[in-house]
Amino acid sequence: MNVNVYYGGRGLLDDPTLYVLNKMEDVLRELRVNVTRYNIYEHKHEIATLPQTFKDADGIILATTIEWLGIGGYMQQFLDACWLYGDKEKIRTVYMQPIVMSTTYGEREGELDIRKAWEMLGGLQCEGLCGYVEDLISFEMNPGYTEIIEKKAENLYRTISQKMKSLPCSSQAVRQSVLRTQELHLTPQESEQLSQYVSDDTYVKKQKEDIEELASMFKQMLNKNDETEPYIDSFRKAFVPQLDYSATYTIEIEGKKDRLNIKVEDGSLDISYGLPFEADVSVKLSDKNMEEVVAGRMTFQRAFMTGEIVAKGDFKILRMLDEFFRFEQ
């Protein structure tokens, strides 16, 4: 028989949970049980891989200490890893005994939390142990407490060896109907590989860098589209060909990286965003003023006269902008 112990405390010398575990492990070894302890705080960088250690286990002990509120971060992370990366088929065959000791209030709630989590995972239950310890020395010297701890270890051995059954619980129905869509539908091999990747800091860092690089690339692509597309369709729709007349314009719109370059030649229109060039007229205006112009609420000439835009070049050619492009409201 193989029993794994997962300790979710901080490993402090005066932790009563460690005393309880040592006593229980002694009893289990006397019963010729192979006991392996995993101190989760020693595996904090590879918690995601710990559920893979269930492979050869007939039963497990989930032990933690309530120091101020709840079962603690290490145990919670371990249970999260069981849900995300654990082999659910294997978990359904594993008996779990919760051990929760506290130096403050909440040991019963902590034991219940672990029980509920294991039920959601589909695992088998064994009677647990919880208690409040005010003074560790008095607790260790009490023979009655020691006897209770030893009986709990014997009960775990008896439950596993006899493969005791338990009545179904509502948590299983909830898991099947409500929580099933949140699981990762992976094979045990895929789950194990994924958990290894998640625990590999180098791999995770590289993945984050790749994601940031992709996000930056797509952002640049979107920004580029934003910079090259606006107003071009509006200018083309409003274009009125003027035969035997040619002119070039470059329009700088505040907030846009590239200039809007316009070339009119014998009734044809060439318009695009790009680098500024030597044009007959250079215009600079705000994005808001450009919106007013293409919406037909303002003309280039009137905007220039009121100081809304700044222009350089031949002002006769500037006036032709309103002849070439007649925007309508």
PDB file of all heavy atoms in Angstrom, residues 33-64:
ATOM      1  N   VAL A  33       3.105   0.268   5.403  1.00  0.00           N
ATOM      2  CA  VAL A  33       2.634   1.159   4.336  1.00  0.00           C
ATOM      3  C   VAL A  33       3.809   2.010   3.872  1.00  0.00           C
ATOM      4  O   VAL A  33       4.580   2.527   4.699  1.00  0.00           O
ATOM      5  CB  VAL A  33       1.489   2.080   4.834  1.00  0.00           C
ATOM      6  CG1 VAL A  33       1.089   3.068   3.751  1.00  0.00           C
ATOM      7  CG2 VAL A  33       0.296   1.232   5.267  1.00  0.00           C
ATOM      8  N   ASN A  34       3.974   2.120   2.574  1.00  0.00           N
ATOM      9  CA  ASN A  34       5.002   3.003   2.026  1.00  0.00           C
ATOM     10  C   ASN A  34       4.484   4.451   2.064  1.00  0.00           C
ATOM     11  O   ASN A  34       3.511   4.779   1.377  1.00  0.00           O
ATOM     12  CB  ASN A  34       5.324   2.613   0.583  1.00  0.00           C
ATOM     13  CG  ASN A  34       5.937   1.227   0.486  1.00  0.00           C
ATOM     14  OD1 ASN A  34       6.766   0.858   1.314  1.00  0.00           O
ATOM     15  ND2 ASN A  34       5.516   0.461  -0.524  1.00  0.00           N
ATOM     16  N   VAL A  35       5.132   5.282   2.860  1.00  0.00           N
ATOM     17  CA  VAL A  35       4.687   6.669   3.044  1.00  0.00           C
ATOM     18  C   VAL A  35       5.698   7.616   2.402  1.00  0.00           C
ATOM     19  O   VAL A  35       6.898   7.533   2.679  1.00  0.00           O
ATOM     20  CB  VAL A  35       4.518   7.009   4.538  1.00  0.00           C
ATOM     21  CG1 VAL A  35       4.038   8.454   4.688  1.00  0.00           C
ATOM     22  CG2 VAL A  35       3.542   6.043   5.201  1.00  0.00           C
ATOM     23  N   THR A  36       5.196   8.506   1.571  1.00  0.00           N
ATOM     24  CA  THR A  36       6.037   9.529   0.943  1.00  0.00           C
ATOM     25  C   THR A  36       5.443  10.887   1.247  1.00  0.00           C
ATOM     26  O   THR A  36       4.265  11.124   0.965  1.00  0.00           O
ATOM     27  CB  THR A  36       6.117   9.334  -0.590  1.00  0.00           C
ATOM     28  OG1 THR A  36       6.582   8.014  -0.867  1.00  0.00           O
ATOM     29  CG2 THR A  36       7.058  10.360  -1.213  1.00  0.00           C
ATOM     30  N   ARG A  37       6.269  11.769   1.825  1.00  0.00           N
ATOM     31  CA  ARG A  37       5.753  13.106   2.144  1.00  0.00           C
ATOM     32  C   ARG A  37       6.272  14.122   1.126  1.00  0.00           C
ATOM     33  O   ARG A  37       7.446  14.124   0.773  1.00  0.00           O
ATOM     34  CB  ARG A  37       6.168  13.554   3.539  1.00  0.00           C
ATOM     35  CG  ARG A  37       5.540  14.916   3.911  1.00  0.00           C
ATOM     36  CD  ARG A  37       6.123  15.513   5.167  1.00  0.00           C
ATOM     37  NE  ARG A  37       5.863  14.709   6.358  1.00  0.00           N
ATOM     38  CZ  ARG A  37       6.161  15.116   7.590  1.00  0.00           C
ATOM     39  NH1 ARG A  37       6.730  16.289   7.785  1.00  0.00           N
ATOM     40  NH2 ARG A  37       5.924  14.315   8.630  1.00  0.00           N
ATOM     41  N   TYR A  38       5.363  15.000   0.722  1.00  0.00           N
ATOM     42  CA  TYR A  38       5.706  16.111  -0.158  1.00  0.00           C
ATOM     43  C   TYR A  38       5.390  17.411   0.582  1.00  0.00           C
ATOM     44  O   TYR A  38       4.216  17.710   0.839  1.00  0.00           O
ATOM     45  CB  TYR A  38       4.903  16.055  -1.462  1.00  0.00           C
ATOM     46  CG  TYR A  38       5.221  14.849  -2.323  1.00  0.00           C
ATOM     47  CD1 TYR A  38       4.488  13.672  -2.192  1.00  0.00           C
ATOM     48  CD2 TYR A  38       6.250  14.892  -3.251  1.00  0.00           C
ATOM     49  CE1 TYR A  38       4.771  12.559  -2.973  1.00  0.00           C
ATOM     50  CE2 TYR A  38       6.548  13.789  -4.048  1.00  0.00           C
ATOM     51  CZ  TYR A  38       5.804  12.632  -3.897  1.00  0.00           C
ATOM     52  OH  TYR A  38       6.095  11.528  -4.681  1.00  0.00           O
ATOM     53  N   ASN A  39       6.434  18.133   0.960  1.00  0.00           N
ATOM     54  CA  ASN A  39       6.244  19.453   1.559  1.00  0.00           C
ATOM     55  C   ASN A  39       6.053  20.447   0.416  1.00  0.00           C
ATOM     56  O   ASN A  39       7.007  20.746  -0.320  1.00  0.00           O
ATOM     57  CB  ASN A  39       7.447  19.836   2.410  1.00  0.00           C
ATOM     58  CG  ASN A  39       7.602  18.915   3.610  1.00  0.00           C
ATOM     59  OD1 ASN A  39       6.624  18.511   4.235  1.00  0.00           O
ATOM     60  ND2 ASN A  39       8.842  18.578   3.930  1.00  0.00           N
ATOM     61  N   ILE A  40       4.848  20.946   0.268  1.00  0.00           N
ATOM     62  CA  ILE A  40       4.530  21.754  -0.908  1.00  0.00           C
ATOM     63  C   ILE A  40       5.397  23.005  -0.967  1.00  0.00           C
ATOM     64  O   ILE A  40       5.773  23.454  -2.048  1.00  0.00           O
ATOM     65  CB  ILE A  40       3.029  22.118  -0.920  1.00  0.00           C
ATOM     66  CG1 ILE A  40       2.185  20.842  -0.943  1.00  0.00           C
ATOM     67  CG2 ILE A  40       2.687  23.002  -2.113  1.00  0.00           C
ATOM     68  CD1 ILE A  40       0.693  21.082  -0.884  1.00  0.00           C
ATOM     69  N   TYR A  41       5.756  23.553   0.192  1.00  0.00           N
ATOM     70  CA  TYR A  41       6.575  24.772   0.178  1.00  0.00           C
ATOM     71  C   TYR A  41       7.956  24.522  -0.419  1.00  0.00           C
ATOM     72  O   TYR A  41       8.607  25.461  -0.899  1.00  0.00           O
ATOM     73  CB  TYR A  41       6.688  25.367   1.587  1.00  0.00           C
ATOM     74  CG  TYR A  41       7.471  24.540   2.569  1.00  0.00           C
ATOM     75  CD1 TYR A  41       8.851  24.664   2.691  1.00  0.00           C
ATOM     76  CD2 TYR A  41       6.824  23.622   3.396  1.00  0.00           C
ATOM     77  CE1 TYR A  41       9.569  23.903   3.607  1.00  0.00           C
ATOM     78  CE2 TYR A  41       7.527  22.859   4.317  1.00  0.00           C
ATOM     79  CZ  TYR A  41       8.900  23.000   4.416  1.00  0.00           C
ATOM     80  OH  TYR A  41       9.613  22.243   5.319  1.00  0.00           O
ATOM     81  N   GLU A  42       8.410  23.261  -0.406  1.00  0.00           N
ATOM     82  CA  GLU A  42       9.683  22.923  -1.029  1.00  0.00           C
ATOM     83  C   GLU A  42       9.547  22.738  -2.546  1.00  0.00           C
ATOM     84  O   GLU A  42      10.544  22.677  -3.256  1.00  0.00           O
ATOM     85  CB  GLU A  42      10.249  21.643  -0.416  1.00  0.00           C
ATOM     86  CG  GLU A  42      10.612  21.781   1.063  1.00  0.00           C
ATOM     87  CD  GLU A  42      11.106  20.472   1.653  1.00  0.00           C
ATOM     88  OE1 GLU A  42      10.981  19.435   0.970  1.00  0.00           O
ATOM     89  OE2 GLU A  42      11.598  20.489   2.795  1.00  0.00           O
ATOM     90  N   HIS A  43       8.307  22.627  -3.017  1.00  0.00           N
ATOM     91  CA  HIS A  43       8.043  22.422  -4.450  1.00  0.00           C
ATOM     92  C   HIS A  43       7.206  23.565  -5.012  1.00  0.00           C
ATOM     93  O   HIS A  43       6.450  23.374  -5.967  1.00  0.00           O
ATOM     94  CB  HIS A  43       7.293  21.101  -4.659  1.00  0.00           C
ATOM     95  CG  HIS A  43       8.010  19.897  -4.163  1.00  0.00           C
ATOM     96  ND1 HIS A  43       8.874  19.155  -4.937  1.00  0.00           N
ATOM     97  CD2 HIS A  43       8.002  19.300  -2.941  1.00  0.00           C
ATOM     98  CE1 HIS A  43       9.361  18.152  -4.234  1.00  0.00           C
ATOM     99  NE2 HIS A  43       8.857  18.219  -3.010  1.00  0.00           N
ATOM    100  N   LYS A  44       7.354  24.752  -4.428  1.00  0.00           N
ATOM    101  CA  LYS A  44       6.469  25.851  -4.807  1.00  0.00           C
ATOM    102  C   LYS A  44       6.621  26.271  -6.259  1.00  0.00           C
ATOM    103  O   LYS A  44       5.706  26.888  -6.825  1.00  0.00           O
ATOM    104  CB  LYS A  44       6.686  27.052  -3.888  1.00  0.00           C
ATOM    105  CG  LYS A  44       8.104  27.596  -3.872  1.00  0.00           C
ATOM    106  CD  LYS A  44       8.225  28.716  -2.849  1.00  0.00           C
ATOM    107  CE  LYS A  44       9.648  29.245  -2.748  1.00  0.00           C
ATOM    108  NZ  LYS A  44       9.771  30.307  -1.712  1.00  0.00           N
ATOM    109  N   HIS A  45       7.756  25.961  -6.890  1.00  0.00           N
ATOM    110  CA  HIS A  45       7.949  26.324  -8.289  1.00  0.00           C
ATOM    111  C   HIS A  45       7.468  25.237  -9.244  1.00  0.00           C
ATOM    112  O   HIS A  45       7.438  25.458 -10.452  1.00  0.00           O
ATOM    113  CB  HIS A  45       9.425  26.628  -8.567  1.00  0.00           C
ATOM    114  CG  HIS A  45       9.937  27.821  -7.830  1.00  0.00           C
ATOM    115  ND1 HIS A  45       9.398  29.085  -7.993  1.00  0.00           N
ATOM    116  CD2 HIS A  45      10.928  27.946  -6.902  1.00  0.00           C
ATOM    117  CE1 HIS A  45      10.044  29.934  -7.209  1.00  0.00           C
ATOM    118  NE2 HIS A  45      10.962  29.271  -6.540  1.00  0.00           N
ATOM    119  N   GLU A  46       7.125  24.072  -8.703  1.00  0.00           N
ATOM    120  CA  GLU A  46       6.604  23.017  -9.571  1.00  0.00           C
ATOM    121  C   GLU A  46       5.347  22.388  -8.983  1.00  0.00           C
ATOM    122  O   GLU A  46       5.109  21.188  -9.120  1.00  0.00           O
ATOM    123  CB  GLU A  46       7.666  21.942  -9.841  1.00  0.00           C
ATOM    124  CG  GLU A  46       8.223  21.258  -8.616  1.00  0.00           C
ATOM    125  CD  GLU A  46       9.477  21.926  -8.062  1.00  0.00           C
ATOM    126  OE1 GLU A  46       9.878  22.983  -8.575  1.00  0.00           O
ATOM    127  OE2 GLU A  46      10.054  21.378  -7.116  1.00  0.00           O
ATOM    128  N   ILE A  47       4.523  23.206  -8.334  1.00  0.00           N
ATOM    129  CA  ILE A  47       3.276  22.699  -7.758  1.00  0.00           C
ATOM    130  C   ILE A  47       2.402  22.057  -8.823  1.00  0.00           C
ATOM    131  O   ILE A  47       1.709  21.064  -8.575  1.00  0.00           O
ATOM    132  CB  ILE A  47       2.516  23.842  -7.045  1.00  0.00           C
ATOM    133  CG1 ILE A  47       3.271  24.265  -5.777  1.00  0.00           C
ATOM    134  CG2 ILE A  47       1.100  23.418  -6.674  1.00  0.00           C
ATOM    135  CD1 ILE A  47       2.637  25.410  -5.021  1.00  0.00           C
ATOM    136  N   ALA A  48       2.438  22.599 -10.038  1.00  0.00           N
ATOM    137  CA  ALA A  48       1.582  22.081 -11.104  1.00  0.00           C
ATOM    138  C   ALA A  48       1.892  20.629 -11.447  1.00  0.00           C
ATOM    139  O   ALA A  48       1.042  19.927 -11.992  1.00  0.00           O
ATOM    140  CB  ALA A  48       1.719  22.958 -12.351  1.00  0.00           C
ATOM    141  N   THR A  49       3.107  20.156 -11.132  1.00  0.00           N
ATOM    142  CA  THR A  49       3.475  18.770 -11.451  1.00  0.00           C
ATOM    143  C   THR A  49       3.183  17.804 -10.307  1.00  0.00           C
ATOM    144  O   THR A  49       3.226  16.586 -10.516  1.00  0.00           O
ATOM    145  CB  THR A  49       4.972  18.673 -11.809  1.00  0.00           C
ATOM    146  OG1 THR A  49       5.753  19.036 -10.652  1.00  0.00           O
ATOM    147  CG2 THR A  49       5.320  19.605 -12.965  1.00  0.00           C
ATOM    148  N   LEU A  50       2.886  18.299  -9.120  1.00  0.00           N
ATOM    149  CA  LEU A  50       2.668  17.416  -7.974  1.00  0.00           C
ATOM    150  C   LEU A  50       1.504  16.439  -8.161  1.00  0.00           C
ATOM    151  O   LEU A  50       1.585  15.299  -7.686  1.00  0.00           O
ATOM    152  CB  LEU A  50       2.468  18.240  -6.699  1.00  0.00           C
ATOM    153  CG  LEU A  50       3.731  18.883  -6.104  1.00  0.00           C
ATOM    154  CD1 LEU A  50       3.384  19.662  -4.842  1.00  0.00           C
ATOM    155  CD2 LEU A  50       4.787  17.832  -5.796  1.00  0.00           C
ATOM    156  N   PRO A  51       0.395  16.826  -8.821  1.00  0.00           N
ATOM    157  CA  PRO A  51      -0.682  15.842  -9.011  1.00  0.00           C
ATOM    158  C   PRO A  51      -0.247  14.605  -9.778  1.00  0.00           C
ATOM    159  O   PRO A  51      -0.902  13.564  -9.681  1.00  0.00           O
ATOM    160  CB  PRO A  51      -1.745  16.639  -9.787  1.00  0.00           C
ATOM    161  CG  PRO A  51      -1.516  18.053  -9.396  1.00  0.00           C
ATOM    162  CD  PRO A  51      -0.028  18.171  -9.255  1.00  0.00           C
ATOM    163  N   GLN A  52       0.856  14.684 -10.529  1.00  0.00           N
ATOM    164  CA  GLN A  52       1.327  13.504 -11.262  1.00  0.00           C
ATOM    165  C   GLN A  52       1.883  12.443 -10.318  1.00  0.00           C
ATOM    166  O   GLN A  52       2.065  11.289 -10.720  1.00  0.00           O
ATOM    167  CB  GLN A  52       2.392  13.920 -12.283  1.00  0.00           C
ATOM    168  CG  GLN A  52       1.983  15.062 -13.209  1.00  0.00           C
ATOM    169  CD  GLN A  52       0.644  14.825 -13.885  1.00  0.00           C
ATOM    170  OE1 GLN A  52       0.325  13.700 -14.251  1.00  0.00           O
ATOM    171  NE2 GLN A  52      -0.127  15.884 -14.063  1.00  0.00           N
ATOM    172  N   THR A  53       2.153  12.828  -9.053  1.00  0.00           N
ATOM    173  CA  THR A  53       2.677  11.856  -8.088  1.00  0.00           C
ATOM    174  C   THR A  53       1.579  10.946  -7.547  1.00  0.00           C
ATOM    175  O   THR A  53       1.859  10.055  -6.739  1.00  0.00           O
ATOM    176  CB  THR A  53       3.364  12.579  -6.913  1.00  0.00           C
ATOM    177  OG1 THR A  53       2.430  13.474  -6.283  1.00  0.00           O
ATOM    178  CG2 THR A  53       4.554  13.397  -7.411  1.00  0.00           C
ATOM    179  N   PHE A  54       0.320  11.143  -7.977  1.00  0.00           N
ATOM    180  CA  PHE A  54      -0.771  10.260  -7.560  1.00  0.00           C
ATOM    181  C   PHE A  54      -0.679   8.889  -8.223  1.00  0.00           C
ATOM    182  O   PHE A  54      -1.394   7.960  -7.835  1.00  0.00           O
ATOM    183  CB  PHE A  54      -2.135  10.863  -7.933  1.00  0.00           C
ATOM    184  CG  PHE A  54      -2.490  12.110  -7.165  1.00  0.00           C
ATOM    185  CD1 PHE A  54      -3.487  12.956  -7.637  1.00  0.00           C
ATOM    186  CD2 PHE A  54      -1.861  12.433  -5.992  1.00  0.00           C
ATOM    187  CE1 PHE A  54      -3.827  14.106  -6.954  1.00  0.00           C
ATOM    188  CE2 PHE A  54      -2.195  13.579  -5.286  1.00  0.00           C
ATOM    189  CZ  PHE A  54      -3.179  14.413  -5.770  1.00  0.00           C
ATOM    190  N   LYS A  55       0.151   8.763  -9.240  1.00  0.00           N
ATOM    191  CA  LYS A  55       0.146   7.565 -10.100  1.00  0.00           C
ATOM    192  C   LYS A  55       0.159   6.254  -9.316  1.00  0.00           C
ATOM    193  O   LYS A  55      -0.619   5.344  -9.602  1.00  0.00           O
ATOM    194  CB  LYS A  55       1.342   7.602 -11.048  1.00  0.00           C
ATOM    195  CG  LYS A  55       1.220   8.625 -12.161  1.00  0.00           C
ATOM    196  CD  LYS A  55       2.443   8.586 -13.058  1.00  0.00           C
ATOM    197  CE  LYS A  55       2.313   9.601 -14.189  1.00  0.00           C
ATOM    198  NZ  LYS A  55       3.516   9.598 -15.062  1.00  0.00           N
ATOM    199  N   ASP A  56       1.026   6.139  -8.342  1.00  0.00           N
ATOM    200  CA  ASP A  56       1.176   4.886  -7.603  1.00  0.00           C
ATOM    201  C   ASP A  56       0.534   4.933  -6.223  1.00  0.00           C
ATOM    202  O   ASP A  56       0.726   4.013  -5.413  1.00  0.00           O
ATOM    203  CB  ASP A  56       2.667   4.547  -7.460  1.00  0.00           C
ATOM    204  CG  ASP A  56       3.351   4.381  -8.805  1.00  0.00           C
ATOM    205  OD1 ASP A  56       2.721   3.816  -9.718  1.00  0.00           O
ATOM    206  OD2 ASP A  56       4.507   4.834  -8.943  1.00  0.00           O
ATOM    207  N   ALA A  57      -0.222   5.981  -5.925  1.00  0.00           N
ATOM    208  CA  ALA A  57      -0.789   6.146  -4.583  1.00  0.00           C
ATOM    209  C   ALA A  57      -2.147   5.456  -4.466  1.00  0.00           C
ATOM    210  O   ALA A  57      -2.988   5.552  -5.361  1.00  0.00           O
ATOM    211  CB  ALA A  57      -0.919   7.624  -4.246  1.00  0.00           C
ATOM    212  N   ASP A  58      -2.330   4.747  -3.341  1.00  0.00           N
ATOM    213  CA  ASP A  58      -3.643   4.180  -3.025  1.00  0.00           C
ATOM    214  C   ASP A  58      -4.465   5.167  -2.199  1.00  0.00           C
ATOM    215  O   ASP A  58      -5.700   5.134  -2.222  1.00  0.00           O
ATOM    216  CB  ASP A  58      -3.461   2.881  -2.235  1.00  0.00           C
ATOM    217  CG  ASP A  58      -2.674   1.844  -3.018  1.00  0.00           C
ATOM    218  OD1 ASP A  58      -3.135   1.439  -4.096  1.00  0.00           O
ATOM    219  OD2 ASP A  58      -1.577   1.468  -2.558  1.00  0.00           O
ATOM    220  N   GLY A  59      -3.769   6.007  -1.463  1.00  0.00           N
ATOM    221  CA  GLY A  59      -4.430   7.018  -0.655  1.00  0.00           C
ATOM    222  C   GLY A  59      -3.497   8.186  -0.418  1.00  0.00           C
ATOM    223  O   GLY A  59      -2.277   8.069  -0.587  1.00  0.00           O
ATOM    224  N   ILE A  60      -4.075   9.313  -0.058  1.00  0.00           N
ATOM    225  CA  ILE A  60      -3.260  10.492   0.224  1.00  0.00           C
ATOM    226  C   ILE A  60      -3.783  11.187   1.478  1.00  0.00           C
ATOM    227  O   ILE A  60      -4.937  11.003   1.876  1.00  0.00           O
ATOM    228  CB  ILE A  60      -3.261  11.498  -0.951  1.00  0.00           C
ATOM    229  CG1 ILE A  60      -4.661  12.100  -1.146  1.00  0.00           C
ATOM    230  CG2 ILE A  60      -2.762  10.868  -2.231  1.00  0.00           C
ATOM    231  CD1 ILE A  60      -4.698  13.252  -2.124  1.00  0.00           C
ATOM    232  N   ILE A  61      -2.900  11.948   2.079  1.00  0.00           N
ATOM    233  CA  ILE A  61      -3.265  12.814   3.198  1.00  0.00           C
ATOM    234  C   ILE A  61      -3.007  14.251   2.765  1.00  0.00           C
ATOM    235  O   ILE A  61      -1.888  14.575   2.334  1.00  0.00           O
ATOM    236  CB  ILE A  61      -2.436  12.486   4.459  1.00  0.00           C
ATOM    237  CG1 ILE A  61      -2.763  11.080   4.966  1.00  0.00           C
ATOM    238  CG2 ILE A  61      -2.707  13.520   5.561  1.00  0.00           C
ATOM    239  CD1 ILE A  61      -1.882  10.628   6.128  1.00  0.00           C
ATOM    240  N   LEU A  62      -4.018  15.079   2.867  1.00  0.00           N
ATOM    241  CA  LEU A  62      -3.860  16.505   2.592  1.00  0.00           C
ATOM    242  C   LEU A  62      -3.867  17.229   3.929  1.00  0.00           C
ATOM    243  O   LEU A  62      -4.892  17.282   4.610  1.00  0.00           O
ATOM    244  CB  LEU A  62      -4.989  17.013   1.691  1.00  0.00           C
ATOM    245  CG  LEU A  62      -5.081  16.393   0.289  1.00  0.00           C
ATOM    246  CD1 LEU A  62      -6.182  17.070  -0.531  1.00  0.00           C
ATOM    247  CD2 LEU A  62      -3.754  16.485  -0.441  1.00  0.00           C
ATOM    248  N   ALA A  63      -2.705  17.761   4.296  1.00  0.00           N
ATOM    249  CA  ALA A  63      -2.543  18.360   5.624  1.00  0.00           C
ATOM    250  C   ALA A  63      -2.120  19.817   5.509  1.00  0.00           C
ATOM    251  O   ALA A  63      -1.265  20.171   4.687  1.00  0.00           O
ATOM    252  CB  ALA A  63      -1.494  17.586   6.418  1.00  0.00           C
ATOM    253  N   THR A  64      -2.735  20.646   6.324  1.00  0.00           N
ATOM    254  CA  THR A  64      -2.359  22.057   6.336  1.00  0.00           C
ATOM    255  C   THR A  64      -2.649  22.644   7.707  1.00  0.00           C
ATOM    256  O   THR A  64      -3.265  21.995   8.566  1.00  0.00           O
ATOM    257  CB  THR A  64      -3.104  22.840   5.245  1.00  0.00           C
ATOM    258  OG1 THR A  64      -2.534  24.144   5.126  1.00  0.00           O
ATOM    259  CG2 THR A  64      -4.583  22.977   5.563  1.00  0.00           C
TER     260      THR A  64
END
